[in-house]
Amino acid sequence: MKLVMAIIKPFKLDDVRDALTTLGIAGLTATEVKGFGRQKGHTEIYRGAEYAISFLPKIKIEIALQDDQVDQVVETIQETAKTGQIGDGKIFVFDLNSVVRIRTGEKDADAL
């Protein structure tokens, strides 16, 4: 089992969710986060004063998957979230040792 975590631009969330749904992905977790990478923030002018935005808003998506689904999901997220501009995000893949569904007590693959 794997955990796929993707950091994407907020306006791409609905597109990514729709694309993953067509693959049969039954659930994911999306969290509003802030961060920076090569983009390093930007400056804005508010009421005539310039100020720096160091952390940019992003969306973190987390999906627990069977090993055989990972490549297709990563490719789908990459294609769907890509704008070609700096700050498109990153995708991380982690090993999952165990999963338990709280309601039923199902474990591992059955809990996904």
Side-chain angles (χ1 to χ4, degrees):
M1 295 177 300
K2 303 287 187 192
L3 178 67
V4 174
M5 180 177 69
I7 309 295
I8 63 171
K9 291 184 175 183
F11 67 89
K12 286 294 195 172
L13 177 59
D14 288 335
D15 294 340
V16 170
R17 185 199 57 199
D18 292 343
L20 292 172
T21 300
T22 63
L23 293 180
I25 300 304
L28 61 83
T29 300
T31 309
E32 293 181 7
V33 296
K34 291 184 179 187
F36 72 91
R38 289 184 181 168
Q39 205 171 2
K40 296 197 177 53
H42 62 278
T43 58
E44 289 187 3
I45 298 177
Y46 179 72
R47 294 190 178 191
E50 185 176 355
Y51 62 98
I53 307 279
S54 299
F55 292 93
L56 300 172
K58 302 290 181 177
I59 297 290
K60 178 171 70 171
I61 298 171
E62 296 170 299
I63 311 161
L65 302 165
Q66 294 287 350
D67 290 344
D68 61 345
Q69 297 174 296
V70 172
D71 291 338
Q72 189 176 26
V73 165
V74 168
E75 184 178 322
T76 299
I77 294 170
Q78 183 179 4
E79 290 173 358
T80 309
K82 181 179 180 179
T83 67
Q85 302 296 316
I86 192 168
D88 275 350
K90 288 197 171 55
I91 301 171
F92 305 92
V93 179
F94 304 95
D95 287 324
L96 274 181
N97 295 326
S98 181
V99 177
V100 177
R101 185 184 309 272
I102 294 172
R103 180 177 53 88
T104 62
E106 294 169 299
K107 295 187 178 192
D108 299 330
D110 294 331
L112 294 179

